[in-house]
Amino acid sequence: MTKYRTLHLWMLIPMVIMQLGILKDYWGDFSDNAWSVHIHYWTGTVWYLYLIIQPYFATHQQLNRHRTNGIIGMFIAGGVCLSALSMMNRDIVNAQNALEKADVFGPFQPWFFLGVAAIEIIMMTAFGVAVIKSIIHRKQLEDHSWWLISTVFIIMMPALGRGIQNVYVGMQIKQWPDINIMQPIYFTEIIIIVLLFLGAWRYNKLKHPATYLALGVNLFNCLIEPLGKSESIQELLKSIVKG
């Protein structure tokens, strides 16, 4: 338990990164966001808060609070997963709007939004797997903890990616619409993978299945462009994701 005594402090880092990444994208057009966006933002934020307070309770002689909040946390985790999947129709709508209003969307072509929808399915499936594995291994502290910590790296990309992408597009605005919007995504993935390996090294989890899962998800996220441009995937998404 000793080596996890300061874990709650380390978990502040991804919390801050997530909030800074999503700051402009969420709060910049707060009143225009769909209800599902609000639900996902707040369940995601509360989930990150739980990943801060739960290690504190577990390592500071407050196990009863840890267990009680753990049950509540699983409810929050379900909200994070399902609200993210419920937002996928927004990606399909954005893809259609990008096709009809190419002058407004510029470099954000339909394939980008369809690619995002495709990776979100894998991302949230992996998130669910990690949460379920943490429940299965709830009596094995090492495994339980790392499965939960891995969820941070599994779902960090959308928030951080939007933030870095907004900054990048702002810096390249004079080249609009000739902007490579995938470059900031690749840069985002490098940051997340480095943070993942640093965390895994810090807690001796480099060879843990949760580390492999988080790494696999982030490598898969780099396939937004080929996935989004695949006609078969486009048709599949449009047929199953309805408003």
Side-chain angles (χ1 to χ4, degrees), residues 46-73:
V46 172
W47 176 251
Y48 273 67
L49 287 173
Y50 263 69
L51 294 178
I52 295 171
I53 64 172
Q54 281 296 81
Y56 178 84
F57 288 151
T59 57
H60 289 75
Q61 292 75 52
Q62 299 185 49
L63 289 178
N64 286 334
R65 284 189 175 182
H66 177 80
R67 295 188 184 101
T68 300
N69 279 282
I71 297 171
I72 299 172

Side-chain angles (χ1 to χ4, degrees), residues 171-189:
M171 293 171 61
Q172 302 291 322
I173 197 65
K174 291 183 178 180
Q175 280 73 49
W176 183 278
D178 300 318
I179 300 175
N180 186 337
I181 55 173
M182 285 304 299
Q183 286 187 357
I185 299 298
Y186 298 142
F187 182 65
T188 299
E189 291 301 341

